[in-house]
């Protein structure tokens, strides 16, 4: 019996062939799908977002970073939403958004 038919028969006041047992099992199945969604999708994504926020909040001048575009450089200054980094031997300066930082390769205190 599909979900639509079960709701129609319940709305009409008639009990489906399985009775209230099938309605309870359907509700349990829906609750199960919600629990699976929460534990397999929502919770890990929330944890990943928190880790990303912590990474961006802990950026500091001197950190060696890699951007989402694959550029590797060292942070030389920071503002609210942007930072200035220098790359390569010729010290080319690039201004990027903080949100484009993928990872911190070497922390400033570890480099010293």
């Amino acid at each position: 019996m599909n979900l639509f038919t079960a709701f129609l028969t319940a709305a009409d006041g008639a009990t489906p062939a399985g009775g209230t047992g099938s309605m309870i099992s359907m509700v349990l199945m829906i609750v199960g799908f919600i629990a699976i969604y929460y534990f397999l999708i929502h919770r890990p994504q929330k944890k990943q977002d928190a880790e990303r926020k912590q990474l961006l909040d802990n950026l500091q001048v001197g950190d060696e970073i890699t951007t989402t575009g694959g550029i590797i450089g060292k942070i030389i200054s920071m503002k609210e939403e942007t930072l200035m980094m220098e790359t390569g031997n010729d010290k080319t300066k690039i201004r990027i958004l903080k949100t484009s930082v993928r990872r911190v390769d070497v922390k400033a205190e570890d480099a010293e």
Side-chain angles (χ1 to χ4, degrees):
M1 174 177 285
N2 65 24
L3 186 64
F4 183 71
T5 307
F7 283 123
L8 283 179
T9 56
D12 290 341
T15 58
T20 58
S22 66
M23 188 63 110
I24 291 173
S25 66
M26 184 173 52
V27 169
L28 289 176
M29 191 178 349
I30 291 172
V31 169
F33 285 136
I34 291 171
I36 289 170
Y37 167 78
Y38 178 76
F39 285 108
L40 293 181
I41 297 172
H42 184 70
R43 234 176 107 194
Q45 182 64 41
K46 197 171 181 181
K47 182 179 177 184
Q48 189 178 27
D49 290 344
E51 289 172 356
R52 175 103 174 118
K53 184 179 182 323
Q54 182 181 8
L55 171 93
L56 295 178
D57 289 343
N58 292 332
L59 287 176
Q60 52 186 305
V61 174
D63 287 351
E64 291 183 23
I65 59 170
T66 301
T67 67
T68 55
I71 300 171
I72 301 170
K74 187 176 189 179
I75 299 174
I76 55 174
S77 68
M78 293 176 43
K79 293 186 180 178
E80 285 293 316
E81 295 182 14
T82 63
L83 55 89
M84 186 72 71
M85 65 184 279
E86 62 183 20
T87 64
N89 292 333
D90 59 352
K91 309 275 187 192
T92 304
K93 292 177 175 58
I94 302 173
R95 186 172 151 224
I96 63 169
L97 292 172
K98 278 186 178 181
T99 56
S100 67
V101 174
R102 176 180 293 167
R103 68 174 185 252
V104 176
D105 299 323
V106 180
K107 294 293 289 176
E109 58 265 4
D110 295 340
E112 296 172 357

